Amino acid sequence: MPDTEKRSDGWALYEVFIRARSGLDHKHVGSVHATDARMALEHARDVYTRRQEGVSIWVVCSSDILASDPAEADALFEPARDKVYRHPTFYDIPDEVKTL
Amino acid sequence: MYTQGLDAAGREPSPPDAASDAERAARFQARIDAEEKIEPKDWMPDAYRRTLVRQISQHAHSEIVGMLPEGNWITRAPSLLRKTILMAKVQDEGGHGAYLYAAAETLGVSREELVDQLLDGRAKYSSIFNYPTLTWADIGAIGWLVDGAAIMNQIPLCRCSYGPYARAMVRICKEESFHQRQGFEIMLRLARGTDDQRRMAQDALDRWWWPSLMMFGPSDTDSTHSAQSMRWKIKRFSNDELRQKFVDFTVPQADFLGLKVPDPELAWDAASEHYRFGAIDWQEFEAVLKGHGPCNRERMAAKRQAHEEGRWVREAAVVHAAKRAAAARAAA
């Protein structure tokens, strides 16, 4: 497994995502330090699933995560702001019509 | 999380100037007042970032150093079951340290820097861990009183304004209640046991009661960081409020155990519906914080030794990973 952007001491920071049960999404829970992906998975298991909190673990090098900039959130999410017609409540359906 | 993004790039979209900084600070405070959570890449005042790095990392150091007084009794636990339980508790404390270091790292500081600060004495950790565990009953007292006090402190922190710290606290609180229950159960067995066991339990309560009360920090009037921490919703209740709540919850538990809290001034005050309690020896607290507690030197020596003696493991791990990668490439 390729490991990008290790520090000069050979360790890297990995973000950890856990799926608690099948049917649920992987959720971000924190981070671990490790020398490679396999160690990251084992550390994530030891740190974040001591009480059977997970059935599946993803680890991603922190440096591989690309994120939107909170300072630009307003501009980035602006297009949805005035599209109220995307919401079901915008539509006035007479009460007599059932199951709609 | 996003550590590299935060400290390496270190960029703000516009160059900092006094007017827009004041504007940003006002908007930040408005978010706090509206109970919004602050997340890692959000703009925040330098002082907010600094106080959180200090608080979260010292919390992490406390968990790690806290493994030592209890680790002391793993080889001498009275039964195999109690040994495995104690190992699980100590392992949890290590895990809690890991959650907290991870949360601190989201603020743009590295694990390495934080560990260095602990090992060279620049960073503090909770004063309680500078006391010795002299008997098995101490393990009970620690779970019951020290973890109990920690829970009192940590539940409000689940709602602190900084997202990663709040989320780490939720995880920690779930695990902490096993810690307190295992401690209380030990005290219960001893209190209901032989005369020697009862005496041992009472002796542990005598030695751990006052240091546990000190865990809540100085009296509100003497607490320097508190006001700003409250304004930023890092701290939700004052030291004295939490300490009072701890006393009110714990004294009935001691009564149930048939043990006596070592405070001749302890009395129920029907008017206020609280327990009145005696004066804390703040000189002892100050002395322990300054490094003159019973075990400060021993704790620091143990951590430095562990760090030095573990160096070969950290280095071997890197070599092992390189070997694994080379083998994988060769096989491909």
Side-chain angles (χ1 to χ4, degrees), chain B residues 130-149:
Chain B
N130 292 309
Y131 291 84
T133 43
L134 300 177
T135 71
W136 174 252
D138 288 42
I139 301 302
I142 287 178
W144 173 39
L145 301 174
V146 175
D147 287 274

Side-chain angles (χ1 to χ4, degrees), chain A residues 5 9 21 27 37-38 44 46 52 57 73 85 89:
Chain A
E5 293 243 24
D9 65 359
R21 281 191 306 285
K27 207 160 76 96
R38 174 146 156 212
D46 292 340
Q52 299 180 295
I57 302 174
Y85 45 78
T89 44

